[in-house]
Amino acid sequence: MPVEVIMPKVDMDMARGTVAAWHVEPGATVAKGDPLFDIETDKAAMEVEAQADGILHHPAPEGTEVAIGQPVAWLYAEGEEVGDAPAVSAPEAQPEPEEPAETTVSEPVSPPSPTENIRATPRARTLARDANIDLATLTGSGPRGRIQAEDVPQAREEVPATFTAQTGALHVMRSKGTGTPLVLIHGFASDSMSWKPLEAHLKNRALIRIDLPCHGKSPNMRVGSFADLVKTVRQTFDDLHLDAAHVIGHSLGGAVALALADTRPRSIASLTLIAPAGLGPDINEAALAGIARATKPESLAPWLKTLVHDESLINDGYARAAMKTRLDPHMRAAQAALAHAVFPDGTQAFDLKAALHRVSMPTRLIWGRSDKIIPWQHALTAPGPVALHLFEATGHLPQFERAEGIGKLLQSAL
Amino acid sequence: MNMQNAPDIRELSYAEAIREAMDIALGSDERVVLMGEDIGVYGGAFQVTGDLIDKYGPDRVMDTPISELGGAGVAVGAAMTGLRPIFEFQFSDFATLAMEQIVNQAAKIRFMLGGAVSVPLVMRFPAGSGTGAAAQHSQSIEAWLGHVPGLKVIQPSTPEDAKGMLLAALEDPDPVMIFEHKILYKMRGPVPEGHYTIPIGKAAVRREGKDLTIVATSLMVHKALAAADDLAQNGIDAEVIDLRTIRPMDRDTVLASVRKTGRLICVYEGVKTLGVGAEISAMVAESDAFDYLDAPIFRLGGAESPIPYNPELEKAVVPQVPDILNAATELAQGRL
């Protein structure tokens, strides 16, 4: 009677493993303790030793997935007759007899009931139970597919059509450092945190980040027009009482920075506009709307990918982290209203080309040649004194995709 | 905190705050006596007692012989017969020498004599690593005593708490063990004037947050707060709870926080296994707050190692700010 070589359980959560490679050929003699085959689970690869002496026959083909406890080969005694692979002895709990070893994939020994087999946190289970949702219908975003609270649909508020307009000062985050401070103004549907990659290359510089209305930690204000938006930011800038500042703005924040420089020329030492709005009529309305509308990482990710040249930068973790900053439905509604005010009908409803010709402080434009949100060709309206830095293979977020290059540029220029 | 009646806030070091509490107690209650090795003329191994002997004399600020078992026995007996002794160990590590008196006598006498006698004893234990004092002078053994019914075990983390909780301990009819982290002795902070108490068994929420709960003890409270500031820079809003007392533990404060945040990290300097964090974790897992957990509970405790003498290794075997930062970031972003 040949001895079964079984797929061992090497990990608590393991239901099946893959025979990755055999160390011995069929018909070879092995001794107990000899390395027999390698298995792979979703977590690890390991070597399995022979549990008995014998001659190996009927090995499962390499690459075959086998449930734990099921045979992957048989060891025969010297002189024992080798025919077809023996039928698998059915375990007691087995509801129906197992198929022979030639089967490429065996079923788990005793399939647990669906809900028992689902990985979900206690909080997700509580929320799903309260909302009468079957966990089996959900997709988990946690480690190894664990369902977490944010994966339970009813756990999220629906987007309100309206929002309660708030008032108050814009949120300002300052970091200590030397020299003339850098004032950073982020773009639409972003916040001050988005400067982090660039900040890593601006060590020791005094930084002042302003959250635009309805963004980050600033109040969800009713903003009626681009002029309204500039007025609010200008008030915040004035309240900082800076003698001099280098102002850096991205996208919508770039347009705000330019308008600010136009009216506060004496306190702005230089102007850096990264893929700014305001220099032409076209803008990718679908992407803006898609980002503003998204309520989960899966629907946000495709739109985030339009922001960059290298889409692999937008992985699941990035999308999840980005969604986390956009969970407040009131904020999303407020941003949608803001977008409607400044980009009605998918058009940039404000024109800052004249302002770009008026400003006299050193000014530079930075643009990615693969920008799919605002065409880089808008930069060509700039007058001679404005420096133009075009980055190849870069999308709408040069400060993210080319953080080091732009950091160096700013460190030497400012 | 009970600061309404003591509006004059000035800064003292943690050691000065303890000395002030003992001074107030000695001055207002003639039953109070201090006992311990070198606490008199020398002022204590960490200069906590200071010059109190000059003010109150050697009958009330008593140097005891180099026998922790003998000294602790005298303190237990003095407490049973009407005094209010405060007994100082030079290092908490030396409590091992006095375990008989602490565990078998002080903790049990009230029960074994049917409540006829209590042991109103306060013991002070300079504890923890970070001073380069190696394996036998750097341990955090508070969980050992936390395992004994009949004792109360506290770990004040601020000068204000050190004074208020010591004065509360003196009002307690039963033995109270105070673990004072040696690194905290020089830390300064606001301390109200005069007599006030801070209740034993009540945790403090040092920082409110919504994304995760960090329950920490003693010096780790300050590391957790430093980590929480960094976390805030990354948009993660951590709640930091200073447990303050490990026996009896403030269940309500911890559970309320976990119900709010759904995520829990326990940070403590004692050895991780079978330690304070295990108790906190089990308390949450056994309660209704379990249903609110949205991630596994995470413990950061001391390594399975004696405290090494090498300063780098000494740092490596206890949780540090970056450890807390990493764990909290992973946890808050749903990766654990």
Side-chain angles (χ1 to χ4, degrees):
Chain A
M1 179 79 187
V3 178
E4 287 180 351
V5 178
I6 61 160
M7 174 62 68
K9 186 180 175 90
V10 295
D11 165 12
M12 283 287 286
D13 299 323
M14 175 182 173
R16 43 183 61 238
T18 302
V19 179
W22 286 98
H23 290 278
V24 291
E25 299 285 325
T29 302
V30 298
K32 185 176 176 182
D34 284 353
L36 204 53
F37 66 108
D38 292 339
I39 61 173
E40 278 174 4
T41 70
D42 51 356
K43 283 206 293 201
M46 69 175 291
E47 194 177 79
V48 180
E49 296 172 352
Q51 299 298 312
D53 300 338
I55 301 162
L56 184 83
H57 285 290
H58 314 303
E62 293 180 355
T64 309
E65 213 184 36
V66 179
I68 57 165
Q70 294 301 308
V72 296
W74 280 263
L75 293 174
Y76 286 75
E78 188 80 52
E80 192 173 356
E81 191 186 335
V82 180
D84 291 341
V88 174
S89 54
E92 271 177 45
Q94 199 65 17
E96 51 192 69
E98 277 290 309
E99 293 178 22
E102 287 90 18
T103 318
T104 48
V105 177
S106 313
E107 287 305 310
V109 174
S110 64
S113 75
T115 45
E116 271 173 359
N117 202 24
I118 290 172
R119 288 169 56 79
T121 65
R123 178 171 284 218
R125 288 180 189 279
T126 308
L127 291 169
R129 190 177 58 231
D130 291 351
N132 217 2
I133 293 174
D134 182 0
L135 283 172
T137 64
L138 301 177
T139 308
S141 65
R144 285 182 286 147
R146 189 174 63 214
I147 298 168
Q148 308 187 135
E150 64 180 21
D151 304 320
V152 184
Q154 264 62 8
R156 283 190 293 266
E157 279 180 80
E158 290 308 310
V159 179
T162 57
F163 64 98
T164 314
Q166 300 170 319
T167 56
L170 295 185
H171 180 251
V172 174
M173 193 164 83
R174 312 179 71 139
S175 304
K176 285 188 191 133
T178 54
T180 303
L182 273 50
V183 174
L184 302 163
I185 308 175
H186 64 80
F188 178 73
S190 180
D191 62 32
S192 289
M193 291 300 163
S194 65
W195 296 106
K196 279 256 158 195
L198 181 61
E199 287 175 13
H201 304 284
L202 295 174
K203 287 261 165 12
N204 305 321
R205 299 299 298 250
L207 302 177
I208 301 174
R209 312 161 195 83
I210 299 176
D211 277 339
L212 290 176
C214 322
H215 289 76
K217 290 184 180 156
S218 284
N220 294 328
M221 298 170 171
R222 183 82 58 191
V223 178
S225 64
F226 181 71
D228 247 14
L229 177 63
V230 173
K231 197 173 141 197
T232 310
V233 176
R234 188 187 298 125
Q235 184 60 53
T236 305
F237 183 79
D238 289 348
D239 291 344
L240 292 168
H241 300 294
L242 302 171
D243 295 331
H246 298 293
V247 176
I248 300 170
H250 170 244
S251 195
L252 178 60
V256 171
L258 176 52
L260 185 65
D262 198 23
T263 51
R264 293 289 181 272
R266 278 184 305 280
S267 47
I268 296 182
S270 81
L271 191 56
T272 302
L273 308 176
I274 305 173
L279 303 181
D282 23 350
I283 188 160
N284 186 339
E285 182 196 19
L288 296 190
I291 291 167
R293 189 173 59 223
T295 60
K296 47 179 93 170
E298 303 88 79
S299 53
L300 182 61
W303 298 114
L304 291 177
K305 286 179 179 168
T306 65
L307 295 176
V308 292
H309 172 79
D310 178 4
E311 295 189 357
S312 69
L313 294 169
I314 312 296
N315 55 25
D316 289 354
Y318 187 96
R320 265 208 308 281
M323 196 62 237
K324 208 151 234 178
T325 66
R326 308 192 48 76
L327 288 179
D328 176 10
H330 293 275
M331 186 193 77
R332 292 199 304 263
Q335 287 180 3
L338 173 67
H340 183 71
V342 299
F343 305 126
D345 305 327
T347 303
Q348 301 195 35
F350 47 95
D351 186 347
L352 299 172
K353 289 197 283 285
L356 189 59
H357 282 76
R358 274 195 302 269
V359 292
S360 56
M361 69 283 294
T363 298
R364 66 191 57 77
L365 282 168
I366 297 173
W367 228 302
R369 288 282 287 264
S370 310
D371 193 325
K372 294 192 274 285
I373 304 298
I374 303 178
W376 69 267
Q377 288 85 350
H378 287 192
L380 301 177
T381 64
V386 172
L388 177 55
H389 304 271
L390 290 176
F391 284 79
E392 292 294 332
T394 304
H396 188 58
L397 305 175
Q399 73 275 28
F400 170 57
E401 281 189 279
R402 299 288 167 256
E404 188 179 358
I406 293 173
K408 274 185 189 151
L409 186 71
L410 296 180
Q411 284 288 31
S412 64
L414 306 182
Chain B
M1 277 170 244
N2 308 354
M3 292 196 296
Q4 291 88 342
N5 302 325
D8 299 324
I9 307 283
R10 75 252 119 103
E11 292 217 333
L12 291 182
S13 75
Y14 187 97
E16 288 164 352
I18 295 168
R19 186 184 315 144
E20 186 168 275
M22 294 193 295
D23 193 357
I24 290 170
L26 286 162
S28 60
D29 184 346
E30 62 182 14
R31 299 171 302 171
V32 173
V33 293
L34 310 189
M35 304 168 116
E37 292 165 19
D38 282 336
I39 65 161
V41 178
Y42 182 64
F46 294 95
Q47 295 299 307
V48 176
T49 322
D51 56 5
L52 288 176
I53 191 169
D54 298 337
K55 191 166 170 185
Y56 297 101
D59 286 347
R60 299 193 63 201
V61 182
M62 280 180 273
D63 277 321
T64 55
I66 304 179
S67 166
E68 282 74 11
L69 181 59
V74 172
V76 172
M80 288 171 66
T81 51
L83 295 183
R84 288 281 186 275
I86 302 174
F87 187 86
E88 178 188 289
F89 286 84
Q90 285 193 321
F91 289 84
S92 67
D93 311 67
F94 304 161
T96 53
L97 292 153
M99 278 297 175
E100 163 62 20
Q101 285 303 325
I102 301 170
V103 176
N104 279 336
Q105 304 304 329
K108 296 190 172 57
I109 285 170
R110 174 197 274 283
F111 299 91
M112 298 188 70
L113 297 186
V117 177
S118 74
V119 184
L121 166 68
V122 174
M123 287 182 150
R124 298 182 35 250
F125 302 87
S129 68
T131 61
Q136 298 162 327
H137 300 76
S138 302
Q139 295 167 83
S140 299
I141 61 162
E142 53 277 354
W144 292 29
L145 300 188
H147 193 66
V148 180
L151 301 180
K152 295 187 176 74
V153 182
I154 65 177
Q155 291 184 278
S157 74
T158 67
E160 180 179 350
D161 280 6
K163 178 179 169 186
M165 294 186 86
L166 174 53
L167 289 170
L170 280 166
E171 291 177 358
D172 199 288
D174 293 309
V176 178
M177 310 287 114
I178 310 181
F179 283 82
E180 303 161 357
H181 202 292
K182 298 189 282 281
I183 296 295
L184 290 176
Y185 278 138
K186 287 185 176 154
M187 194 189 101
R188 300 186 72 79
V191 179
E193 305 261 10
H195 184 280
Y196 66 95
T197 59
I198 289 177
I200 292 168
K202 189 86 194 82
V205 179
R206 297 294 185 198
R207 183 187 196 286
E208 289 195 17
K210 61 177 172 45
D211 293 335
L212 76 154
T213 300
I214 305 176
V215 178
T217 58
S218 191
L219 181 61
M220 292 300 151
V221 173
H222 302 281
K223 294 188 178 179
L225 286 169
D229 282 345
D230 285 354
L231 288 166
Q233 292 280 310
N234 294 321
I236 297 169
D237 190 14
E239 180 145 304
V240 178
I241 294 178
D242 177 355
L243 200 56
R244 297 207 283 202
T245 302
I246 65 166
R247 183 185 193 92
M249 214 174 261
D250 184 353
R251 183 184 151 87
D252 292 348
T253 300
V254 173
L255 297 190
S257 181
V258 171
R259 281 187 212 108
K260 178 170 73 168
T261 66
R263 294 185 165 87
L264 173 64
I265 297 181
C266 311
V267 194
Y268 51 108
E269 187 170 325
V271 173
K272 177 178 161 184
T273 305
L274 292 162
V276 173
E279 187 55 40
I280 300 167
S281 306
M283 183 173 81
V284 170
E286 288 171 349
S287 76
D288 72 289
F290 173 79
D291 284 329
Y292 293 79
L293 283 174
D294 202 24
I297 298 169
F298 196 89
R299 285 179 296 158
L300 280 168
E304 307 292 318
S305 162
I307 303 289
Y309 175 62
N310 176 299
E312 290 309 313
L313 294 177
E314 185 182 22
K315 278 186 216 137
V317 296
V318 299
Q320 304 294 346
V321 175
D323 302 321
I324 304 172
L325 199 54
N326 289 342
T329 305
E330 295 281 296
L331 198 65
Q333 294 181 350
R335 290 203 292 267
L336 287 182

